[in-house]
Amino acid sequence: MAGRADSTVLAGARVVLPTGTVEGGRVTVEGTRISRTEAENAPVLDLSGHWIVPGFVDMHNHGGGGASFTSGTVDEVLTGVRTHREHGTTTLVASTVTGEMDFLAERAGILSELVEQGDLAGIHFEGPFISPCRKGAHSEALLRHPDPAEVRKLMDAARGTAKMFTLATELPGGIESVRLLAEHGVIAAIGHTDATYEQTVEAIDAGATVATHLYNAMPGIGHRAPGPITALLEDERITIELINDGTHLHPAALGLAYHHAGADRVALITDAMDAAGFGDGRYQLGPLAVNVENGVARLVEGNSIAGSTLTLDTAFHRAVTIDRIPVEDVVTSISANPARLLGVYDKVGSLEPGKDADLVVLDEEFRLKGVMRKGEWVVRPAAATR
């Protein structure tokens, strides 16, 4: 780890900008921001043979480095944040899992302090307002209908830092809760749902704008019962979350989503749990025991997939090298789109003058070699300074 320089020029790399890729580009960092002009005699870091892309933005993440965002102490949460930063995620939303309402409200208060001091970008409540038919790695005993009053309780506990709620909108109170969230500028995401096609369309019309980890924890596509996946893919108002870890999605399913929705409607996420960046073993996801073996997390009881051990540098690498998604489209999905959804695109999500100096350096094979956040190297690339 290294400190911040007052001025640095990163030169020679392929730089991915909103307008396209610049060969042999230059990115100037002044303090914490990207600058339009270079200071005289500023040190130049030669990154020839590399790519420079914007820092990754993860809007759905439950933990990492052995730490849980749902149950960890403040120091443990920060350990999880640092773990993902070292893998390129410079902006991160902390996701909770289903728990008792009072417990979730208490967690919201703790996490909101970390948002206020700039370590997190917001809070995502995944559960308890989800379907028992599609609960995944959530405790069925703690699930409840999405009562707008209880949704409001968690919003209030988060003190303006709640960014997203995942809801099974077909349940009683679901549509009313979507409207409440939309009125307050909080993302209503459809997920862990057993909704029909028609019920999903109703939720979108009410203001839902995100599909929580599309394909997972929802009915599949049927030719007579197209279900939520079809409704979510076809509506231009919906951004599609995808977990590109090779376990949650077949490459063909990921390709279908990109082909049908387009890169501008995809957000690559991790849905990571404690084991991300930490290793195999036995973990807790909320009240449920999870076994991680060969990097795949599954519930001890029932064997359901229980989040992922993914980091976004791996998701980026897979998208380009295995799924053959163009680099510029992957950058859109992993940085720009989630930044827009979270309302922080004026600060992060692209390499533009005036924005935070959040960036990732990749080698020619798209392996992570450097990470900068607000002008400070989290991971310094091994390159020549002149």
Side-chain angles (χ1 to χ4, degrees), residues 211-299:
T212 295
H213 45 53
L214 188 76
Y215 300 112
N216 292 279
M218 59 183 64
I221 299 173
H223 64 291
R224 294 192 182 93
I229 294 171
T230 305
L232 294 164
L233 279 175
E234 71 181 7
D235 198 301
E236 294 182 355
R237 293 170 289 182
I238 292 293
T239 296
I240 306 299
E241 287 187 351
L242 296 174
I243 308 170
N244 192 22
D245 62 351
T247 298
H248 282 78
L249 294 177
H250 189 284
L254 182 134
L256 174 66
Y258 265 97
H259 176 77
H260 198 88
D264 288 338
R265 288 181 48 215
V266 171
L268 293 176
I269 62 163
T270 61
D271 193 18
M273 48 85 69
D274 313 20
F278 200 68
D280 289 357
R282 185 65 64 90
Y283 296 86
Q284 287 292 128
L285 189 59
L288 303 178
V290 175
N291 187 55
V292 179
E293 186 174 349
N294 297 322
V296 178
R298 292 186 180 275
L299 291 181

Side-chain angles (χ1 to χ4, degrees), residues 346-361:
D346 60 326
K347 298 178 181 179
V348 300
S350 65
L351 300 176
E352 297 178 86
K355 290 193 174 186
D356 290 349
D358 289 4
L359 56 87
V360 175
V361 179

Side-chain angles (χ1 to χ4, degrees), residues 16 20 36 51 109 155 189 199 207 249 257 292 298 322 325 344 363 384:
V16 181
R36 193 178 300 276
W51 293 79
M155 288 173 57
Q199 288 170 325
L249 294 177
V292 179
R298 292 186 180 275
I322 297 175
I325 307 296
V344 294
D363 66 16

Side-chain angles (χ1 to χ4, degrees), residues 98-101 128-130 140 142-147 150 171:
T98 294
E100 296 282 2
M101 285 295 298
F129 310 117
I130 61 176
E140 185 169 352
L142 298 175
L143 300 183
R144 53 211 301 133
H145 291 163
D147 181 345
E150 294 194 323
L171 296 176

